[in-house]
Amino acid sequence: MYRSHTCGELRASHIDTEVTLSGWVQKSRDKGFIVWVDLRDRYGITQLVFDEERTPKAMMEKAQNLGREFVIQVTGTVIERASKNPNIPTGDVEILVSKMDILNESVLPPFTIEDKTDGGEDIRMKYRYLDIRRNPVKNSLIFRHKVTQEVRNYLSNDGFIEVETPYLIKSTPEGARDFVVPSRMNEGEFYALPQSPQTFKQLLMVGGMDKYFQIVKCFRDEDLRADRQPEFTQIDCEMAFVEQEDILNAFEGLTRHLLKEVNGVEINEFPRMLYDDAMRLYGNDKPDIRFGMEFGELNDVAQHKDFGVFNSAELVVGIAVPGGNSYTRKEIDKLIDWVKRPQVGALGMVYSRCNDDGSYKSSVDKFYNQDDLAKWAEKTGAKPGDLVCVLSGDKNKVRAQLSALRMELAERLGLRKPNEFAPLWVLDFPLLEWDEETERYHAMHHPFTSPKPGQLELLATNPGEVKANAYDLVLNGNEIGGGSIRIHDKKTQALMFDYLGFTEEEAKEQFGFLMNAFEYGAPPHGGLAFGLDRLVAILGGQETIRDFIAFPKNNSGRDVMIDAPAPLDNKQLEELSLKLNLKS
């Protein structure tokens, strides 16, 4: 056997026991007459000791020449450590080595395999197999395993059945571009990789499975924003004979379970907020409610005061920054520069200081008196000592800009505490959204989402006002899950395809299989999909998902470790009946 114990297992109770360990050399310290080696495996670190009085000369020389990341096997006796290390579980003991075999040598790693490494992200992604040896990444992957197991156990105990659905499917319009796979046996035809198992889980409900889940890879060929991956993992769930309330209760239960079992946190309240209110109060549909700074709309108290910037704006809106009156003029100027960055896009920012004596001092005192500024403070909930920051412009754009500023300020003020958890349901999304480029409506979620009861008739007269029977679960300002009650009858589904611009032939070509299934008694059904990568990261106190994915891709969608994607050779192209037409 290669080991009798792991490198994180030995304690004082093992003293005088002969053991065999295997692992990687973390580091060594050579004092000439004595050599200490830290041996590491997934479970921890154990110190080895070689000394010239008790270690044969040949083995002593071998120990002195061990390099970082050499793979070795040692046999020896557990002895009490003279200088104990309280920072590691094995810190009371060490191994006096009597036998050592070098199982594999290693070249010098391109970065140090330590918690705080000298390797940048690019180099660590290229050598990801080395990065996984580091505790932060290793522990993140173990944490993901723990969360995944808790999900499986909870859903299985609640009567859900795990069912696998195909990866090679038909290309259907679901919002993003599909990754496509040519079929060698069906010349000129292509599979697509699923953006989600949407139609298959609906078919499982038609098939009577009643409660389905799957922890499944999904694929979207879209332009990548920060911290997104072209392939990601969903906890995909669907239930039959349910209404919205049934689904919200079911997955509140799962979220409570995960927070308790994984984080030791009890959460009782899952507040609910309408989509329209989330946009009005926070400027986005996934607000972080761990802190305040709600928006105050100022049109009625800021316009018609001879200040043209506000008078010409569709929306004037502000937030109160707690304690912000302490900011220097230089610090406020930096905030103004921050909102004017291209990533945010504001043209500028107006501010008003709320002084401790109840007076106000603004950047637009020429146009607004103390009574006006007092109304700004009232609308935004500002108190003495706060700073009111105001943006104006197109309603949708300015809300997004102020939302970005709110999150940036909360980060600077330390209000986004990773060990605090604030879940929130956001309900009643618009069913459709207008696309200026195509000049028609598109489904905000997907074409199988049901409108709210009683709103189907609105599609004919005011489609933009129709609300979807859809819901998102938000945790700490991140969407961790979303879903809807589905359309389950052929007539309504055909009507939805019609309003989305599908001809009858196009709908039949794309989704005929689903429409046919609805002919055979489809039950009312709905579901929700959690984004596992994001969920795990937030439960782990982070918002960056890469360290919770074993082999992630970079912001360009490349796997720099295996150098993918890569060209195909001509023989493969010929077999697939493909011809390249590359842009020069």
Side-chain angles (χ1 to χ4, degrees), residues 269-404:
E269 294 297 320
F270 277 67
R272 299 180 182 188
M273 183 180 297
L274 299 179
Y275 169 87
D276 289 343
D277 290 337
M279 298 304 295
R280 178 177 57 83
L281 294 173
Y282 299 99
N284 70 63
D285 58 6
K286 47 182 184 298
D288 190 337
I289 58 170
R290 286 176 293 180
F291 56 96
M293 296 168 65
E294 292 182 358
F295 290 9
E297 297 190 354
L298 306 176
N299 287 37
D300 58 338
V301 296
Q303 291 183 328
H304 314 299
K305 298 287 184 177
D306 296 327
F307 186 49
V309 173
F310 285 177
N311 290 342
S312 62
E314 184 182 7
L315 178 65
V316 183
V317 62
I319 54 172
V321 185
N325 193 28
S326 63
Y327 289 0
T328 65
R329 175 59 188 272
K330 187 176 181 180
E331 288 174 317
I332 293 176
D333 286 344
K334 286 184 177 179
L335 272 184
I336 295 172
D337 290 339
W338 191 89
V339 300
K340 290 166 72 173
R341 297 180 315 145
Q343 299 95 316
V344 181
L347 297 177
M349 184 184 84
V350 170
Y351 64 90
S352 174
R353 294 181 179 275
C354 304
N355 298 319
D356 291 337
D357 63 4
S359 65
Y360 303 92
K361 178 66 178 172
S362 81
S363 57
V364 286
D365 279 346
K366 178 180 177 181
F367 303 98
Y368 298 93
N369 59 35
Q370 292 292 295
D371 288 341
D372 295 326
L373 299 176
K375 291 175 182 176
W376 292 16
E378 181 183 356
K379 290 273 191 177
T380 59
K383 299 177 176 60
D386 292 350
L387 179 74
V388 177
C389 297
V390 182
L391 300 180
S392 64
D394 173 81
K395 180 175 66 176
N396 293 333
K397 288 181 180 178
V398 78
R399 282 175 172 167
Q401 291 160 359
L402 192 60
S403 176

Side-chain angles (χ1 to χ4, degrees), residues 67-70 105-110 130:
R68 279 181 179 265
E69 302 306 310
F70 276 37
E105 295 184 355
S106 171
V107 297
L108 185 68
L130 297 180

Side-chain angles (χ1 to χ4, degrees), residues 181-194:
V181 181
S183 171
R184 179 183 58 81
M185 293 182 290
N186 299 276
E187 188 174 319
E189 296 184 328
F190 296 82
Y191 299 106
L193 300 180

